[in-house]
Amino acid sequence: MNFLKRAGKSIVARKGKTMIMLIILTIIGSLVLSGFAIQNAAKSAGEEARKELGATVTLQVDRQKQMQERQASGERGRPEEVAIDTTDVEAIEQLDEVKSVNYLAQTTATSSDLTPIESESTNSGGGRGGEMPEGMTMPDFSLNGVTNMELLDTYTNGTLKIVDGEALTTDAKEKSVVIDENLATENDLKVGDTFKLTSTTTENSVTVTIIGLSASTEATSDANFRAAGFMDPMNQMYIANDTLASFSTEEGTVSVSSVVYALEDPSEINTFKKEAMAVSPLDWDTFTLDANDAAYQKMVGPIEQVASFSKSVVYLVSIAGGLILALLILLSVRERRKEMGILLAMGEKRSKLMGQLLIETFAIAAIAFLVTYATGGMTSQFMTDQLLNREVTEAASSVATQTGFGGPGGRGGQQVLDSIPQITEMTTKIDWTTLLQVIEIGSLIVFLSVLLPSLALLRMNPKEILLRED
């Protein structure tokens, strides 16, 4: 009889064992399929999260390392500000991955022409009303030096808007400034008006022209901003770096506190970091390239845990399922020793007997695969929801982030991080890539499960097999 017909008759004749094998293979297939579907969904969700946060990398002082070094040496207080020499980062701007660059600087100023916005806490002596050390002037305003306001995170995410006039860009006229609409209203100013600013560090002055009025929804009620009035978003101004340097530094040269690089593709972040560190002479023990990883980790933390768990499930199920299936086939082969011995004695080739066992198992596996495919979407989504809900529930406190003092790159950094939601939903889908992965794993499990047990029997000659038959 043809070994294909024998395989078909054997499947029908051994209904109990066929059903057990079908259940085992279906469970293996469902768990492996769900594992791969969850991993693919997590990867897609991570890519979407990175796109949502933007493909930006910020060059700034490694403040965490600064604080750790100060604490280790027994020092207290805030570390000294370290400026970035723009000549040291010119080569980074030329890298192929870079789409645009925004140089950021911060300083403070006073003005004899403007009255700053004051809150109850500053009036009560918590900030502006407090005494300053001798030789120092209490600031009225924070000046944020930028290359292009439209590249700021606060501008792109909508927390900072231009309500009149235009944003400060590289095309703006020299000595242009953008101020808050509330500050303008309090001082009866409008677009086109001018006023004088005096640096608190050099006491030099410059007359600037208002080209735009802004509105910010960024933590205007926060007590820290109210306590130091110049930090309040309504007392923030945006000015070109060249103008800022011309009156706030003794040499009149531009030095910035951070540089934000917008990349062409979020997937190029790691490559960009390596290339930037290779081409720039900066001291990388002092500076760091931050890809907003704290926010990214907060968003994708739960789904990465789910993906990691699902990967472990795939390995565990593949190994355990293969061993169980191999044991089941081994028991089946041992029960069929007489059949195998007689067939070998009649001249049947060992390869055909092996082929019969493989066909029997693959035929059952094919049915199991169809069942898995039919129920895979529902099963994988159910597992995803359960695992993700558990990870979100058990998620620890938000990842801390190190931010600068004032300015568009660091003001209210922790509050911005707190406002970023975790990904609490993830949709799985069964595509051809996932199905092919399951077929590959399933075929390997079936092949090894049949090969190893049957070799132990078929390596013997027919006489040995029949003599061992009880």
Side-chain angles (χ1 to χ4, degrees):
M1 183 186 296
N2 186 287
F3 76 97
L4 294 175
K5 291 183 179 180
R6 289 201 307 267
K9 288 181 176 293
S10 178
I11 292 173
V12 175
R14 297 176 172 82
K15 295 182 178 64
K17 287 185 172 58
T18 298
M19 186 58 63
I20 292 173
M21 193 173 295
L22 178 63
I23 293 172
I24 292 174
L25 286 170
T26 301
I27 293 173
I28 293 173
S30 296
L31 291 175
V32 171
L33 179 66
S34 298
F36 283 127
I38 291 172
Q39 290 178 55
N40 292 336
K43 181 180 179 181
S44 298
E47 291 173 352
E48 290 300 318
R50 179 58 80 184
K51 289 179 181 178
E52 184 178 337
L53 290 172
T56 60
V57 180
T58 303
L59 171 63
Q60 59 189 359
V61 173
D62 191 338
R63 299 193 182 282
Q64 183 178 18
K65 183 178 290 186
Q66 274 189 327
M67 290 301 297
Q68 289 173 346
E69 291 175 351
R70 288 176 66 85
Q71 291 170 0
S73 62
E75 298 181 39
R76 294 178 176 271
R78 181 180 178 79
E80 292 183 6
E81 297 288 339
V82 180
I84 301 171
D85 189 337
T86 54
T87 59
D88 289 339
V89 294
E90 289 176 349
I92 300 178
E93 187 176 348
Q94 305 304 317
L95 294 176
D96 293 338
E97 294 85 0
V98 178
K99 179 173 64 176
S100 59
V101 182
N102 203 13
Y103 291 89
L104 308 179
Q106 293 89 39
T107 191
T108 55
T110 60
S111 177
S112 58
D113 299 333
L114 273 69
T115 301
I117 302 292
E118 295 186 354
S119 64
E120 292 181 3
S121 57
T122 55
N123 284 329
S124 64
R128 284 176 43 79
E131 294 294 330
M132 290 294 293
E134 185 177 352
M136 294 186 65
T137 303
M138 170 60 75
D140 288 329
F141 308 101
S142 290
L143 304 184
N144 302 314
V146 297
T147 304
N148 189 341
M149 276 185 68
E150 295 176 350
L151 299 178
L152 296 174
D153 288 341
T154 50
Y155 190 93
T156 55
N157 65 27
T159 57
L160 177 67
K161 298 179 180 180
I162 298 298
V163 295
D164 191 15
E166 60 186 22
L168 185 70
T169 65
T170 52
D171 297 327
K173 293 181 180 180
E174 189 178 357
K175 299 180 181 178
S176 298
V177 69
V178 173
I179 68 173
D180 188 85
E181 62 172 342
N182 297 292
L183 181 63
T185 300
E186 285 285 322
N187 290 275
D188 296 324
L189 294 173
K190 61 183 183 300
V191 173
D193 288 347
T194 61
F195 61 88
K196 183 183 290 187
L197 287 172
T198 302
S199 170
T200 56
T201 55
T202 65
E203 297 186 357
N204 294 332
S205 298
V206 64
T207 299
V208 292
T209 302
I210 302 173
I211 63 168
L213 302 180
S214 64
S216 175
T217 59
E218 184 182 7
T220 54
S221 62
D222 185 76
N224 291 329
F225 290 151
R226 294 199 307 264
F230 66 94
M231 291 180 63
D232 191 298
M234 290 185 289
N235 290 325
Q236 301 279 336
M237 300 182 186
Y238 296 88
I239 189 170
N241 284 310
D242 290 338
T243 304
L244 191 71
S246 67
F247 79 103
S248 64
T249 62
E250 295 292 351
E251 301 83 7
T253 56
V254 177
S255 58
V256 296
S257 59
S258 60
V259 186
V260 180
Y261 298 93
L263 308 186
E264 296 285 354
D265 188 341
S267 64
E268 296 176 335
I269 287 177
N270 290 332
T271 302
F272 167 76
K273 284 184 176 182
K274 293 178 182 178
E275 292 181 357
M277 295 177 71
V279 301
S280 173
L282 282 174
D283 178 9
W284 294 107
D285 287 331
T286 301
F287 296 95
T288 184
L289 288 165
D290 179 18
N292 207 7
D293 289 331
Y296 177 76
Q297 288 301 326
K298 181 182 178 184
M299 290 185 72
V300 304
I303 66 173
E304 286 187 341
Q305 292 296 324
V306 170
S308 176
F309 180 78
S310 67
K311 186 176 182 180
S312 300
V313 167
V314 169
Y315 286 125
L316 181 63
V317 169
S318 298
I319 295 172
L323 291 174
I324 293 172
L325 190 60
L327 178 61
L328 186 63
I329 293 174
L330 176 62
L331 294 174
S332 176
V333 169
R334 291 175 68 88
E335 290 177 359
R336 299 168 65 181
R337 280 186 301 185
K338 184 175 182 179
E339 173 191 343
M340 300 294 179
I342 293 173
L343 288 171
L344 286 172
M346 292 173 63
E348 185 67 286
K349 294 180 179 180
R350 285 179 169 81
S351 59
K352 288 190 175 181
L353 291 178
M354 182 80 72
Q356 177 183 337
L357 293 174
L358 284 171
I359 289 171
E360 289 176 14
T361 311
F362 271 111
I364 299 171
I367 299 173
F369 175 78
L370 293 176
V371 175
T372 298
Y373 175 70
T375 61
M378 181 175 59
T379 303
S380 61
Q381 189 61 56
F382 175 78
M383 287 181 61
T384 299
D385 293 340
Q386 296 301 311
L387 292 171
L388 190 56
N389 287 338
R390 187 193 69 176
E391 292 299 332
V392 170
T393 301
E394 295 179 357
S397 58
S398 300
V399 181
T401 185
Q402 288 73 44
T403 60
F405 179 75
R411 187 175 64 246
Q414 185 60 50
Q415 292 182 338
V416 172
L417 181 62
D418 292 341
S419 68
I420 295 173
Q422 288 179 325
I423 296 177
T424 57
E425 293 183 1
M426 193 166 62
T427 303
T428 58
K429 62 179 181 179
I430 309 301
D431 54 20
W432 282 109
T433 302
T434 306
L435 291 176
L436 287 174
Q437 288 175 315
V438 175
I439 291 173
E440 289 173 358
I441 293 293
S443 298
L444 182 62
I445 291 174
V446 169
F447 184 76
L448 293 177
S449 299
V450 173
L451 180 66
L452 298 178
S454 57
L455 280 177
L457 179 66
L458 296 180
R459 65 182 176 81
M460 296 185 291
N461 60 50
K463 182 179 179 180
E464 289 177 311
I465 295 174
L466 293 173
L467 286 174
R468 291 192 180 190
E469 180 67 28
D470 296 330

